[in-house]
DNA sequence: CGGTACTTTGACCGACATCAACAAGCGTGG
DNA sequence: CCACGCTTGTTGATGTCGGTCAAAGTACCG
């Protein structure tokens, strides 16, 4: 069993295995596989650029600690933040389809990532159909989260967007940190949040101030407390995409993976 | 055969195989697999709802002819169109992760789809790692297209959004119809386009009129002619995600699939 | 012919952007 | 220890892009 430190969020010995294990019973070989993806690790400081958009897309990354984000820059300099990556996430699955990275990758806090070459996926595909299915499923979850994001940006106004954003973050954190209830640290600038939601930093500030005054949330330093989760969920029409997935179709039933083929 | 119109575009004998074959040399067993997914077919009339959001997500669909789209409805009745599906597309890969469908699915034109149960994917995973990789890759392409969409909706103004939208459609059509150069039929109402781009039908109308007056596009009935593709690409910062993918990491090299494993 | 779906155009309005100024916190270097 | 720059958050004044509402025109279809 992956160890349990006393730290609140990031310092689990192995976030990836913990996250995967949340969804599925992992066999020993599967655990070994996952662990081997994290042999090499590398750290970056806050605001460091891990990978530029357009760079060769030969690496994937497992987030070991800290937060980072994928983004694109428009010709006129505007930025769109596409995804926030938390400990336990595998970054870059979509880039696998292309020779060059579609998005940039930047550190939101000091981070530790474990890069691994994308052809390592190939091994997993051969050795463990069950792990393959899980990795695919995690990719599809990301996909669905993007659909939610499109809906949010395309058809919701500022306060609904912010509410949705906060709820998504909490849901995500709750997977790997079951002790999180309503308060969490949000190490993201309002400019970043704005760039994720298609708003400006100024309007994010106004919106969050209003939400706080309305008693929906509370802010202490960079920590956020969700005061009225029910109300937030209602206003943002929020669905938790992280809580539960369908593993019924996975090869090998719900038991740990059997020996691969014949 | 479902009624055969004289139409020039959709009535290829097998769009899925054609599209897959565009990216990869397919082995005979692979072709057989793909063909078997399309044994059953079913037709819907324009505006019919194929599947409601929240329905059991046990089926995937291959589009045989016609256009349809995925969407979500907000509590206040507003709609966000998430994806347009063309002949050859596989619909519902992301729904595989969940027990219930995340999006609704509706016919934009009269359509013919081939539904197949999602556990059929399981077979493919076992039998053909190469086809597995391709299906995953197609899923990731969709993913990347969604990233583009987020960028478009989040940070671009109306004319840039429309330009991007049109270019994406042409790129997509060009995969399965190499004869399309600059003119194509666009069987989508402006309301639908607006719902896809986070705009209103009114403003889509205004925008397209302006673009026509500016000589960027030309409209005859429902057909669109891209008059100045260069200019459109520049204004929308458009990247073609469909033209070329990376298959170098696929199992079995670039040759037609070898016998699986060992 | 009447009904429905779709497009177009005009008048008006509002949500959010833009610009700008200020304050607070923090790391760095003297 | 203070000074400085940098990043971040807040608040106000003003502007604009796209929404809303409404009406009229057109095409299609039963």
């Amino acid at each position: 069993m992956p160890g349990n430190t006393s730290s609140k969020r990031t310092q689990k010995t192995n976030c990836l295995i913990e996250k995967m294990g949340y969804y599925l019973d992992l066999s020993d070989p599967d655990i070994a596989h996952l662990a081997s993806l994290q042999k090499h690790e590398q750290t970056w400081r806050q605001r460091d650029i891990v990978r530029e958009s357009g760079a060769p897309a030969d690496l994937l990354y497992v987030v070991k600690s800290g937060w980072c984000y994928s983004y694109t820059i428009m010709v006129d300099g505007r930025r769109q933040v596409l995804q926030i990556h938390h400990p336990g996430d595998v970054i870059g699955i979509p880039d696998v389809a292309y020779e060059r990275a579609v998005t940039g990758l930047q550190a939101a806090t000091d981070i530790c990532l474990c890069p691994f070459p994308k052809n390592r996926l190939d091994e997993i595909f051969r050795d463990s159909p069950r792990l393959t299915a899980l990795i695919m499923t995690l990719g599809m979850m990301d996909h669905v989260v993007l659909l939610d994001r499109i809906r949010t940006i395309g058809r919701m106004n500022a306060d609904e967007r912010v509410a949705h954003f906060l709820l998504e973050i909490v849901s995500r954190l709750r997977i790997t940190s079951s002790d999180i209830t309503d308060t969490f640290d949000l190490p993201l600038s309002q400019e970043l949040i704005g760039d994720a939601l298609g708003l400006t930093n100024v309007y994010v500030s106004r919106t969050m101030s209003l939400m706080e005054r309305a008693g929906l949330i509370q802010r202490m330093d960079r920590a956020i407390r969700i005061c009225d989760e029910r109300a937030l969920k209602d206003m943002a029409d929020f669905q938790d995409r992280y809580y539960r997935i369908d593993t019924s179709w996975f090869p090998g039933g719900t038991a740990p993976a059997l020996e691969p083929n014949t």
Side-chain angles (χ1 to χ4, degrees), chain A:
Chain A
M1 273 268 98
N4 39 34
T5 69
S6 61
S7 108
K8 307 130 225 166
R9 191 166 28 75
T10 56
Q11 228 45 13
K12 302 293 169 58
T13 50
N14 196 318
C15 290
L16 177 60
I17 291 173
E18 190 161 331
K19 181 179 161 194
M20 297 281 203
Y22 174 87
Y23 293 115
L24 203 63
D25 287 335
L26 297 171
S27 70
D28 287 345
D30 287 347
I31 289 178
H33 251 121
L34 293 177
S36 81
L37 295 180
Q38 301 170 80
K39 274 217 217 91
H40 308 287
E41 57 183 59
Q42 196 175 346
T43 60
W44 284 265
R45 302 294 306 275
Q46 186 184 16
R47 277 182 294 273
D48 282 353
I49 290 184
V50 175
R51 183 195 66 189
E52 301 262 10
S53 155
D58 41 8
L59 293 179
L60 302 181
Y61 304 85
V62 175
V63 183
K64 189 147 196 181
S65 69
W67 293 23
C68 60
Y69 58 94
S70 308
Y71 67 94
T72 54
I73 300 285
M74 331 269 320
V75 275
D76 62 357
R78 310 201 62 179
R79 181 175 70 161
Q80 176 68 44
V81 167
L82 299 161
Q83 262 173 303
I84 314 281
H85 306 288
H86 305 266
D89 286 359
V90 178
I91 302 176
I93 299 271
D95 291 309
V96 169
Y98 299 96
E99 286 167 8
R100 311 206 147 263
V102 173
T103 67
L105 188 59
Q106 190 163 8
T109 66
D110 294 352
I111 53 169
C112 177
L113 304 182
C114 303
F116 66 92
K118 73 181 177 187
N119 53 27
R120 291 291 302 277
L121 280 184
D122 187 16
E123 289 171 31
I124 294 181
F125 286 9
R126 277 201 323 269
D127 296 353
S128 174
R130 202 166 157 67
L131 207 48
T132 304
L134 181 56
I135 289 176
M136 267 197 74
T137 299
L138 292 179
M140 295 185 254
M141 289 172 71
D142 280 348
H143 193 108
V144 169
V145 169
L146 290 189
L147 293 179
D148 285 339
R149 178 71 48 83
I150 289 177
R151 193 171 88 120
T152 303
I153 297 180
R155 288 299 186 207
M156 287 181 168
N157 49 28
D159 47 351
E160 294 164 336
R161 292 187 208 183
V162 172
H164 195 280
F165 185 78
L166 294 177
L167 291 171
E168 191 188 311
I169 301 235
V170 200
S171 297
R172 198 139 190 176
L173 293 178
R174 281 177 182 152
I175 300 171
T176 42
S177 317
S178 47
D179 56 337
I180 288 179
T181 52
D182 61 349
T183 305
F184 62 99
D185 185 50
L186 184 67
L188 306 176
S189 72
Q190 293 181 350
E191 175 146 25
L192 188 80
I193 298 173
D195 284 348
L197 298 179
L199 300 169
T200 56
N201 58 341
V202 176
Y203 213 72
V204 170
S205 172
R206 285 194 225 276
T207 304
M208 292 186 76
S209 298
L210 281 178
M211 289 173 69
E212 185 163 27
R213 238 163 281 161
L216 294 169
I217 61 172
Q218 198 177 341
R219 291 178 293 174
M220 313 86 96
D221 216 1
R222 304 210 101 167
I224 299 275
R225 192 163 88 81
I226 306 283
C227 300
D228 192 342
E229 188 160 346
R230 184 71 258 151
L232 288 174
K233 281 189 171 164
D234 285 346
M235 71 187 277
D237 197 9
F238 180 80
Q239 298 248 13
D240 190 339
R241 307 295 186 190
Y242 300 102
Y243 179 58
R244 188 143 196 285
I245 62 173
D246 181 13
T247 57
S248 68
W249 62 281
F250 279 25
T254 56
L258 306 174
E259 288 151 40
N261 60 36
T262 53

